[in-house]
Amino acid sequence: MKNLDDFDFNEKRVLLRLDLNSPVIDGVVQDNERFAAHSETVKELLKKNASVIIIAHQGRPGDKDFVSLEQHAELLSKHVKKKVKFVSDLFGDCALSEIAKLKPGRALLLENLRFYSEELVEKNFENTVMVSRLSKACDVFVDDAFSVAHRVQTSIVGFPKVMPSFAGRVMQREYAAISKAISNIERPYVMVLGGSKPDDVVKLLKHALSAGTADKILCSGVIGELLLLAKGEDLGYKSKWLEQQGYTKNLPELKTLVEKYSDKLVLPTDFALKDRDGIRLEVLLKQLPSVANTESSMPGDIGSKTAYLFDSAIQQAKTVYYKGPQGIFEEPAFELGTRSVLKSIASCKGFVLMGGGHSLTALDKFNVSKKKVSHISIAGGALIAMLCGESLPGVEVLQ
Ligand code: 3PG
């Protein structure tokens, strides 16, 4: 992909695609790492004396977080340390007149792309009114939205077909870093999978095992528990809870994986739960049916023995992918697993790739410096897709 070093942006009108899709709580858009990361690309283009016209999306039609980008402009201005003007139009006369007036060294943010049905058409992207009008109003396209590169949407695949197009710094960094975890991998490659949402993790696990990418996969959180169930273990009340949540639908598939790849999977051997006073109590896997047989005594973390097993594997790794956390680390009784695995990762000498908002929150909580992690991805679905060997339309079209 050509990048910001490959073009003279001086006095050019740059159409810049960012991913500012953020959590929205009670109508308030939450500041997050995406604003910080993309602001670097915006600042660099402004410094190169370009006029920067930003396009981005928020939420999906019909969802509660499907809101205007007005608040995003304020948050982005804070990170860029310069006013990013919000324009409540995307490719109408109002937007075009604002673009025409925009001076070099200034930026504006247009309205939510997904408010316009053309963003979500299924073909002929380059023939949409959106692409036709914005490509004429701007000189070049810069795509910094790696985290939307798995989507075939107009703003991602339409503009590069009709304009000179470049990868922004976030796109460039994300692609280069994640590539290290999919090809020419330095071995041993250890994956640390946890968290409470198993769907993406199951997909990744299947791929990593069948394609032979990872040498060891350390499983905790819901995926660790599901694999234990697949092995025939009894987790006390937790077994019932996993079924109630609908997570056991993948069990037949996981059973096959556990049987075929037992040498690669490292599963929890002990757990932590809370006693009646809310104090952490560690028990062996075999004890769960007798001591963790009510909802309030369900395990919420791995135990120290498991953390030790994980540490040994992480210390030998030359490549690590971490998608955590190991337990409900927001609760003091369940901090230990995530804290100790993150500390192991911080002292590991290999290349470490990390993804997911929870992992970042945990790094901050346990004072683990982000500098100890080689790359922290701000992508969700696109990261998983790339790790699963899928091609990314947004990257392909730039290439
Ligand atoms: C994300 O938040 O992962 C990206 O913005 C993609 O969002 P989408 O899943 O709604 O396409």
Side-chain angles (χ1 to χ4, degrees), residues 19 21 34 57 60 114 147-148 150-151 380-381:
D19 184 6
N21 195 25
R34 286 187 172 165
H57 74 278
R60 297 176 184 176
R114 290 184 183 172
S147 43
V148 203
H150 58 317
R151 302 283 181 228

Side-chain angles (χ1 to χ4, degrees), residues 198-214:
D199 284 351
D200 271 355
V201 184
V202 170
K203 177 175 153 188
L204 185 56
L205 185 75
K206 265 190 337 202
H207 174 78
L209 290 170
S210 58
T213 40

Side-chain angles (χ1 to χ4, degrees), residues 48-271:
K48 289 180 190 261
N49 206 32
S51 311
V52 182
I53 297 102
I54 303 167
I55 49 174
H57 74 278
Q58 170 63 53
R60 297 176 184 176
D63 286 356
K64 269 198 174 154
D65 64 349
F66 187 50
V67 298
S68 159
L69 297 190
E70 192 169 0
Q71 296 176 64
H72 301 67
E74 303 241 322
L75 291 167
L76 193 58
S77 304
K78 195 181 94 189
H79 286 275
V80 174
K81 299 195 173 69
K82 212 169 185 181
K83 173 97 184 144
V84 176
K85 183 178 177 184
F86 173 67
V87 176
S88 64
D89 185 17
L90 181 63
F91 54 86
D93 292 345
C94 167
L96 296 190
S97 125
E98 290 288 345
I99 296 172
K101 281 192 306 205
L102 191 68
K103 298 214 162 49
R106 302 271 169 177
L108 57 80
L109 172 63
L110 300 176
E111 187 51 288
N112 188 346
L113 285 157
R114 290 184 183 172
F115 279 7
Y116 301 82
S117 55
E118 281 196 338
E119 172 66 350
L120 301 170
V121 291
E122 284 174 8
K123 52 185 184 193
N124 297 328
F125 310 96
E126 63 273 37
N127 299 327
T128 54
V129 182
M130 172 163 93
V131 169
S132 153
R133 292 193 122 197
L134 288 177
S135 63
K136 284 190 189 102
C138 302
D139 302 303
V140 287
F141 177 63
V142 172
D143 186 358
D144 210 25
F146 171 81
S147 43
V148 203
H150 58 317
R151 302 283 181 228
V152 185
Q153 290 171 356
T154 302
S155 65
I156 303 297
V157 293
F159 294 110
K161 297 209 173 135
V162 297
M163 300 172 79
S165 298
F166 302 87
R169 295 301 183 204
V170 172
M171 171 68 87
Q172 193 187 342
R173 272 201 307 267
E174 290 266 32
Y175 186 73
I178 302 164
S179 295
K180 291 193 187 178
I182 58 168
S183 54
N184 299 323
I185 301 164
E186 280 212 63
R187 297 190 179 277
Y189 177 12
V190 172
M191 279 190 172
V192 189
L193 303 180
S196 55
K197 293 186 194 140
D199 284 351
D200 271 355
V201 184
V202 170
K203 177 175 153 188
L204 185 56
L205 185 75
K206 265 190 337 202
H207 174 78
L209 290 170
S210 58
T213 40
D215 299 299
K216 283 268 179 263
I217 308 187
L218 320 181
C219 299
S220 51
V222 169
I223 190 66
E225 291 159 359
L226 286 175
L227 288 165
L228 286 170
L229 280 191
K231 264 183 88 176
E233 300 287 354
D234 181 352
L235 307 182
Y237 192 87
K238 198 68 181 259
S239 308
K240 198 165 157 191
W241 183 86
L242 289 165
E243 199 177 338
Q244 282 165 358
Q245 305 302 310
Y247 293 153
T248 45
K249 64 177 190 293
N250 295 313
L251 273 188
E253 212 171 7
L254 293 177
K255 202 164 181 285
T256 316
L257 293 180
V258 142
E259 278 162 12
K260 197 161 170 199
Y261 301 104
S262 60
D263 55 325
K264 291 199 166 182
L265 293 167
V266 182
L267 304 184
T269 57
D270 63 342
F271 286 92

